[in-house]
Amino acid sequence: MSKPAKLSGGRFQQADYSIGRYAARPPSGTTLEDVMHPEYFQNELNALKPGMLINVLSDDFALDCDVRVLTVTKTTAKVRLIRLYQEGEAPKVESGDVTDALVTWGGPNHKWRVIHNGTVIEHGFSTQEEAEAAAARYRAALKG
């Protein structure tokens, strides 16, 4: 039987110290193939070390993955895919019903306003119809 592992000084170290985590925010349209290319992180090679984890989330949220840095040379960084979010394979979760936004009169300062769950969303509408239109836009944004 082998010796029990020591938590300090041996093979085990505090994860945040030895692994290091980075976040990359590539522009919309970036593909997984782009990120996996050895020259993709060439402008960041000085900061990368083997074992690091990079969380990649594109501006349009289409690409969402984690990659592990395996090797770093003077011109390239080899990475391995750890996690990839794919819309078709994600579990479907039904969103709950969202309570309606209310239109109320807020007095001479707020005038007509839109309220959702007790929070004023917008105010200052001259007419109730303008506030109703704003409430409809807000409801549409909530329902996606």
Side-chain angles (χ1 to χ4, degrees), residues 8 10 52:
S8 62
M52 287 184 151

Side-chain angles (χ1 to χ4, degrees), residues 124-144:
F125 297 102
S126 301
T127 65
Q128 185 175 0
E129 291 77 25
E130 290 175 0
E132 292 286 350
R137 287 191 303 272
Y138 182 72
R139 281 186 213 106
L142 286 177
K143 294 181 182 180

Side-chain angles (χ1 to χ4, degrees), residues 22 38-39 41-54 68-80:
Y22 279 92
E39 295 176 347
F41 294 105
Q42 67 184 357
N43 292 333
E44 307 298 331
L45 294 175
N46 290 336
L48 297 181
K49 296 191 180 2
M52 287 184 151
L53 186 67
I54 304 172
R68 171 95 52 213
V69 178
L70 299 177
T71 59
V72 180
T73 68
K74 290 185 177 187
T75 57
T76 63
K78 184 178 178 185
V79 296
R80 172 183 9 185

Side-chain angles (χ1 to χ4, degrees), residues 59-102:
D59 287 336
D60 60 358
F61 303 114
L63 177 62
D64 183 356
C65 66
D66 291 333
V67 296
R68 171 95 52 213
V69 178
L70 299 177
T71 59
V72 180
T73 68
K74 290 185 177 187
T75 57
T76 63
K78 184 178 178 185
V79 296
R80 172 183 9 185
L81 183 65
I82 300 296
R83 179 195 61 82
L84 174 64
Y85 173 80
Q86 293 180 321
E87 185 71 34
E89 296 176 11
K92 300 297 179 206
V93 178
E94 291 189 33
S95 60
D97 292 332
V98 178
T99 58
D100 270 344
L102 303 173

